Amino acid sequence: MDNTKRITLKIIVIGEPAVGKTSLVKKFVSGRFTTDYRSSIGTNIFTKKIVLENETETTLQLWDIAGQERWISMRRPYYSGAKGVIIVGDLTRSNTFDQIEKFWVPDLDQYCSLIPIILIANKSDLLYEIEKQYIDSLGERINTRTIIFTSAKSGDNVELAFKLIAKQAINYLQ
Ligand code: G3D
Ligand code: MG
């Protein structure tokens, strides 16, 4: 008998343009880092099946904004039904983290009631000056305990980040 439980989780990825949202999702889904894609207007939805320790077969439905990050009319369907959020900042541009607090979290709060959030500090393969303490304090203010430094280029921590948000989303559902 097949005792596997199956669920589908909608996870949305948000953050300023060019922080690496699409690169992270593509790296996780296909294992490749590509630089030859260009986003079109709208939303890309990528899916990937993962099996977590508790034998639940989980289909992650990853929603990635394709261009036009602040395109107002897509807000509601984009956020609707999300069970977890990945917010991405770019370690080489501190204003991308400022905008998380100024724009993205307030925006999220308008459309989603409390759902798990993880904060990704991406491009860890490059030189950067942002201090960990600054990102930690941002994490506290936006109510996330999970902050992960990733590189979509090298793949460092990418799988870990997606699996953590999946686990948190599942725990939150139960
Ligand atoms: P977005 O979807 O948030 O807009 P993209 O961001 O995934 O399109 O990435 C924006 C640019 O950053 C791309 O460069 C991409 O290759 C690069 N990038 C994304 N993640 C990383 C990373 O972890 N390390 C490094 N070094 N670069 C990264 P181009 O030049 O193609 O525009
Ligand atoms: Mg993109």
Side-chain angles (χ1 to χ4, degrees):
M1 203 170 75
D2 181 8
N3 285 325
T4 315
K5 287 181 284 175
R6 291 185 180 80
I7 56 168
T8 297
L9 291 175
K10 173 176 175 179
I11 306 290
I12 58 175
V13 185
I14 58 178
E16 291 295 285
V19 293
K21 300 181 299 298
T22 303
S23 302
L24 286 161
V25 172
K26 289 204 167 183
K27 182 77 183 176
F28 175 63
V29 170
S30 73
R32 276 177 295 135
F33 176 84
T34 49
T35 51
D36 60 345
Y37 59 86
R38 283 292 173 266
S39 54
S40 53
I41 293 174
T43 305
N44 295 319
I45 301 171
F46 298 86
T47 58
K48 178 155 169 152
K49 276 189 190 158
I50 57 171
V51 179
L52 298 170
E53 289 105 59
N54 61 0
E55 303 275 295
T56 306
E57 187 183 290
T58 307
T59 302
L60 291 184
Q61 204 181 74
L62 301 165
W63 288 52
D64 173 40
I65 303 170
Q68 304 292 318
E69 263 78 351
R70 297 183 185 202
W71 188 33
I72 234 58
S73 62
M74 65 174 239
R75 287 266 178 292
R76 191 171 298 279
Y78 192 79
Y79 288 117
S80 171
K83 299 292 186 275
V85 190
I86 294 175
I87 307 184
V88 186
D90 176 344
L91 283 165
T92 66
R93 290 181 294 145
S94 63
N95 74 306
T96 64
F97 287 93
D98 298 337
Q99 285 303 112
I100 288 173
E101 199 168 14
K102 283 196 199 127
F103 178 82
W104 290 103
V105 170
D107 198 54
L108 180 69
D109 287 345
Q110 269 188 40
Y111 294 101
C112 292
S113 49
L114 286 172
I115 51 175
I117 296 177
I118 69 167
L119 177 59
I120 283 189
N122 188 43
K123 306 197 188 179
S124 63
D125 58 288
L126 297 175
L127 279 179
Y128 58 89
E129 286 171 0
I130 299 177
E131 303 208 346
K132 186 175 172 294
Q133 202 183 5
Y134 164 83
I135 295 172
D136 284 345
S137 65
L138 170 65
E140 263 171 43
R141 291 195 299 277
I142 68 169
N143 258 325
T144 178
R145 279 167 296 128
T146 314
I147 300 169
I148 303 173
F149 286 63
T150 61
S151 166
K153 188 169 190 180
S154 73
D156 196 33
N157 282 342
V158 174
E159 187 160 334
L160 174 76
F162 285 94
K163 287 197 166 163
L164 276 177
I165 190 65
K167 273 190 210 163
Q168 290 186 11
I170 289 172
N171 290 340
Y172 195 75
L173 291 179
Q174 284 159 356

